[in-house]
């Protein structure tokens, strides 16, 4: 059973548009991480959020952790072709293993 | 954060054979993790490798099929044994990097023919 559901699964938009990716769960996580993976590479950490309601910004990327620490979102402003990749959320609960989301494959069309 | 060197980056193997994947970390780490990823999909944890003890396998993965070695705190191998086409996948190793989350190797793309 996949504990972290991401939506949408696939997203293809024009350069310059905005987008939001969602990561939802019925479980509470102590922290949630977002990764981006490009072809032929391993996932690379973008951000970690640990506090309910927390908002973190990384240039054009805005990450939010839900108040109840069950969900998170990633918003990209003015998307660029370099944003293309597989986005993965991953939750941690205490000493349990890291749980990955189902993934969102993003394509930015120049 | 840690830097991981994983090899081979890709291989094409005959069914029934075995492939050993290596991961070298530039610092000492207690646990190393091995994942499987179908192209374009999410990651599934195979096992956790601790130095000096047997690896801990997740449900659906067994030691006979995926033996793991962890001879020291900077190195681990995962062997995919008696391969079938269903084993075709990307295999990744990972270590925890504290504030930096988890660091991953660049992956091994395995094709079994």
């Amino acid at each position: 059973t996949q504990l972290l559901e991401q939506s949408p699964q696939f997203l293809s938009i024009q350069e310059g548009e905005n987008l939001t990716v969602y990561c939802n769960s019925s479980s509470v996580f102590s922290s949630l991480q977002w990764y981006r993976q490009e072809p032929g590479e391993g996932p690379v950490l973008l951000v970690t959020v640990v506090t309910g309601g927390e908002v973190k910004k990384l240039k054009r990327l805005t990450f939010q952790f839900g108040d109840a620490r069950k969900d998170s979102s990633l918003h990209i402003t003015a998307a660029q072709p370099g944003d293309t990749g597989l986005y993965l959320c991953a939750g941690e609960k205490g000493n349990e293993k890291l749980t990955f989301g189902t993934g969102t494959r993003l394509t930015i069309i120049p | 954060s840690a830097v991981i060197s994983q090899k081979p980056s890709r291989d094409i193997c005959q069914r029934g054979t075995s492939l050993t994947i290596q991961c070298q970390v530039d610092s000492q780490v207690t646990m190393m993790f091995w994942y499987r990823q179908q192209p374009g999909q999410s990651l599934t944890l195979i096992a956790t490798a601790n130095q000096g003890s047997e690896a801990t396998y997740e449900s659906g993965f067994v030691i006979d099929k995926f033996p793991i070695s962890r001879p020291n705190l900077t190195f681990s191998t995962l062997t995919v044994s008696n391969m079938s086409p269903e084993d075709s996948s990307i295999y990744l190793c990972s270590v925890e990097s504290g504030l930096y989350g988890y660091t991953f190797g660049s992956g091994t793309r395995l094709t079994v023919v």
Side-chain angles (χ1 to χ4, degrees):
Chain A
T1 302
Q2 188 63 262
L3 296 180
L4 281 167
E5 295 288 338
Q6 289 183 235
S7 61
Q9 184 178 359
F10 299 96
L11 184 58
S12 182
I13 64 171
Q14 294 287 334
E15 180 177 0
E17 293 184 354
N18 302 331
L19 66 106
T20 301
V21 176
Y22 299 94
C23 174
N24 295 300
S25 174
S26 58
S27 299
V28 176
F29 291 96
S30 56
S31 68
L32 202 133
Q33 302 164 16
W34 283 92
Y35 293 81
R36 179 171 65 213
Q37 184 180 22
E38 299 183 20
E41 299 294 332
V44 175
L45 180 71
L46 296 173
V47 78
T48 301
V49 285
V50 296
T51 304
E54 181 177 5
V55 176
K56 280 192 174 179
K57 292 191 175 183
L58 184 67
K59 297 183 180 178
R60 294 176 293 101
L61 279 61
T62 302
F63 304 84
Q64 184 164 8
F65 201 12
D67 290 341
R69 291 186 286 130
K70 294 182 178 181
D71 53 84
S72 181
S73 63
L74 158 61
H75 182 78
I76 300 179
T77 303
Q80 299 178 1
D83 296 325
T84 293
L86 177 66
Y87 287 79
L88 295 159
C89 64
E92 280 195 297
K93 288 194 286 186
N95 293 324
E96 294 183 14
K97 63 181 180 179
L98 191 65
T99 301
F100 278 90
T102 50
T104 295
R105 179 159 293 281
L106 175 63
T107 302
I108 307 302
I109 304 167
Chain B
S1 62
V3 176
I4 301 176
S5 174
Q6 182 174 346
K7 58 182 180 182
S9 59
R10 58 177 60 230
D11 207 341
I12 301 173
C13 301
Q14 296 290 324
R15 66 179 67 199
T17 63
S18 298
L19 174 72
T20 295
I21 302 166
Q22 300 180 4
C23 276
Q24 178 75 50
V25 189
D26 69 343
S27 58
Q28 294 185 340
V29 293
T30 304
M31 292 189 289
M32 292 181 72
F33 304 91
W34 287 97
Y35 289 88
R36 184 169 70 184
Q37 182 183 31
Q38 297 292 333
Q41 297 187 23
S42 190
L43 279 68
T44 300
L45 182 64
I46 297 171
T48 302
N50 291 307
Q51 195 270 333
S53 63
E54 279 200 3
T56 302
Y57 289 82
E58 297 299 310
S59 176
F61 299 96
V62 294
I63 188 171
D64 290 345
K65 176 67 175 178
F66 298 100
I68 288 172
S69 78
R70 186 80 203 277
N72 58 55
L73 290 173
T74 65
F75 186 79
S76 180
T77 68
L78 170 76
T79 299
V80 186
S81 303
N82 189 25
M83 289 183 286
S84 65
E86 291 71 35
D87 295 320
S88 297
S89 193
I90 300 168
Y91 293 85
L92 298 131
C93 61
S94 174
V95 300
E96 190 172 6
S97 295
L99 292 176
Y100 301 99
Y102 288 75
T103 300
F104 289 83
S106 55
T108 297
R109 182 180 288 269
L110 171 63
T111 302
V112 183
V113 297

